Amino acid sequence: MSNPIITYELYIDSLSSYKMLYPQYVFDGTTEKLLTLNYSLNRLDFYNLEEGYLENSIYYDPNLDYRKISGYSFFNEDSIFLINEFNELFLTNSEGEIRIKTNLKSADVPGKPHIVPGHLDLVVSGNHLEIANYFIAQKGSSSIIRIQNWNDETIEPICPIEDEYVEGFHGIFEYLYWSYQQVGQCYYVNWPTSNSVYKYDRNWKFEKKINLEGKGQKKNRMILKKGLSQDDLKQKPSISEMMDISSNYTSNFVFVNLLYNPYKEEFYRIVGYPIFNGVIDIFQTGLENLKRNYSVMVFDKAFKFKDEYAIPYDQYLIKYGAYFVTKDGLAIQRENADHDDIAVFEVYQF
């Protein structure tokens, strides 16, 4: 990968971690801001990205209605959506005032509703909201839930999880994280085990699969072929199944995320490469031995492949989701453990 065109340094207060959780980029035409969720302090932090300082924070008292915030989506100062660990969704403003609140948990719709900027964005359309149902890998379950009415808490499951994804077990580490991007009147869904991206129309009706392998084939094996009923999920895997999970995890690719850059009208797909082809017990091995090489595949708006760029090994916080699209390119946070009061993002242009 070529040298970064821009470097941002954000000065973090002593109570915050330099690993930025859930970054959301906001550009109003003149000023660039970066929003992050400060999970430990239960607050939303607003940074001036160009000058590197913390502009302001919104604190959400965990002892009151908010409890523990687990995700957010910023639309404007009057429309900030939050979701907590109890499946409650809030519409708030920049003063931290609750405008609307509803509970998203329904016995009829299993799963865990969640919002993650750049991964699982909240979709606001007309009178309803659409939220990712993160994540339950069971046949017939819904990957999206739709809220038709705040007042009566009407919840509708839509967009069933594709059968080929739930034919086997994928639920470890990076394989939990699926994502989608809305581009015009279409959605593009990225499953972490599939070298294809799924295209849906505005009503989440499946249209087609688009193969996005980039340079060289990127084929994966099923991690574990088994049923995914509730009873199956409760059963502990056998020793042979654990070894199968371990060997396939280390020798498979992981398609971490698909991002769209509306400023440059191009897609970035972040790919984690196999760790090695040997067999180790990943459940007994330290995470330092499970580091991947990553690359960024770049496609134009019509998914015509442009190029693929290797990311320098173990220098960036890819597995923490510490990256975001800017008007200039893709910003990725550097590993910076020696200076825990500074978060460094480098912007690459492809």
Side-chain angles (χ1 to χ4, degrees):
M1 199 151 65
S2 59
N3 293 326
I5 60 169
I6 300 172
T7 298
Y8 296 119
E9 293 187 354
L10 306 183
Y11 294 90
I12 312 300
D13 66 38
S14 59
L15 297 176
S16 302
S17 168
Y18 83 96
K19 294 175 180 176
M20 309 296 276
L21 184 63
Y22 296 176
Q24 180 179 346
Y25 174 81
V26 176
F27 178 56
D28 62 8
T30 56
T31 304
E32 295 178 281
K33 293 185 180 182
L34 188 68
L35 284 56
T36 66
L37 174 63
N38 192 319
Y39 181 79
S40 59
L41 298 181
N42 217 47
R43 76 185 195 196
L44 203 58
D45 290 337
F46 294 73
Y47 289 89
N48 183 303
L49 192 55
E50 294 162 296
E51 298 186 23
Y53 66 89
L54 180 63
E55 266 188 358
N56 66 290
S57 298
I58 305 175
Y59 173 70
Y60 305 105
D61 193 335
N63 298 311
L64 299 177
D65 288 301
Y66 288 112
R67 295 190 274 191
K68 196 69 174 176
I69 300 300
S70 59
Y72 78 96
S73 184
F74 177 89
F75 278 72
N76 54 53
E77 291 189 350
D78 291 321
S79 298
I80 303 172
F81 294 89
L82 308 170
I83 196 166
N84 66 18
E85 294 181 342
F86 297 89
N87 303 297
E88 294 170 321
L89 179 70
F90 302 86
L91 174 59
T92 74
N93 59 22
S94 59
E95 302 299 321
E97 300 168 337
I98 298 175
R99 297 173 58 192
I100 307 176
K101 172 185 173 182
T102 191
N103 195 305
L104 299 178
K105 192 61 179 174
S106 169
D108 298 328
V109 186
K112 176 69 176 175
H114 201 39
I115 307 169
V116 183
H119 289 71
L120 303 170
D121 285 304
L122 179 73
V123 178
V124 180
S125 178
N127 296 322
H128 63 259
L129 306 174
E130 294 167 358
I131 300 174
N133 197 20
Y134 168 88
F135 178 70
I136 182 162
Q138 286 183 256
K139 222 164 196 179
S141 59
S142 173
S143 55
I144 303 289
I145 62 172
R146 178 178 287 160
I147 303 174
Q148 296 285 13
N149 191 314
W150 285 88
N151 296 323
D152 62 13
E153 299 184 356
T154 303
I155 298 174
E156 175 190 0
I158 57 176
C159 193
I161 295 172
E162 297 297 329
D163 284 350
E164 67 183 83
Y165 189 77
V166 294
E167 285 177 348
F169 176 75
H170 305 286
I172 54 175
F173 306 115
E174 298 109 317
Y175 293 104
L176 289 169
Y177 299 96
W178 66 289
S179 62
Y180 57 81
Q181 294 286 298
Q182 181 180 9
V183 181
Q185 296 300 307
C186 298
Y187 295 105
Y188 297 95
V189 175
N190 178 82
W191 294 105
T193 56
S194 176
N195 56 18
S196 296
V197 164
Y198 291 73
K199 181 182 179 182
Y200 296 83
D201 69 12
R202 181 63 193 85
N203 295 311
W204 290 101
K205 181 181 178 181
F206 174 74
E207 291 191 350
K208 64 178 178 178
K209 286 174 63 176
I210 305 168
N211 186 278
L212 299 180
E213 286 189 338
K215 289 182 178 178
Q217 289 190 343
K218 297 179 174 67
K219 302 292 187 183
N220 277 349
R221 297 191 301 273
M222 188 71 69
I223 286 183
L224 176 61
K225 184 76 173 179
K226 66 178 293 185
L228 286 173
S229 68
Q230 286 290 348
D231 289 339
D232 290 327
L233 291 171
K234 291 176 183 177
Q235 293 177 8
K236 184 177 180 179
S238 66
I239 292 176
S240 62
E241 288 175 333
M242 296 283 275
M243 287 297 98
D244 185 39
I245 291 173
S246 293
S247 61
N248 280 8
Y249 173 79
T250 58
S251 61
N252 274 346
F253 291 87
V254 55
F255 301 93
V256 180
N257 204 348
L258 176 74
L259 303 165
Y260 180 66
N261 189 330
Y263 307 99
K264 296 183 173 297
E265 296 190 326
E266 59 187 13
F267 287 94
Y268 310 132
R269 199 179 198 199
I270 300 174
V271 184
Y273 278 69
I275 299 169
F276 54 82
N277 289 319
V279 178
I280 62 171
D281 188 346
I282 62 174
F283 302 99
Q284 302 295 326
T285 303
L287 293 177
E288 67 276 3
N289 297 318
L290 296 175
K291 294 178 180 178
R292 296 183 185 271
N293 277 306
Y294 294 92
S295 70
V296 180
M297 296 189 293
V298 184
F299 303 85
D300 68 14
K301 190 176 181 180
F303 284 108
K304 181 180 179 181
F305 177 65
K306 297 173 72 173
D307 211 337
E308 185 170 355
Y309 301 85
I311 298 176
Y313 178 73
D314 201 27
Q315 294 184 24
Y316 294 90
L317 299 175
I318 296 292
K319 70 178 181 179
Y320 294 98
Y323 48 80
F324 54 91
V325 168
T326 79
K327 61 182 177 60
D328 298 300
L330 179 64
I332 314 174
Q333 187 179 0
R334 286 194 68 95
E335 176 66 66
N336 195 35
D338 294 335
H339 302 280
D340 58 7
D341 59 344
I342 301 176
V344 177
F345 286 89
E346 294 182 340
V347 181
Y348 288 90
Q349 194 173 78
F350 305 110

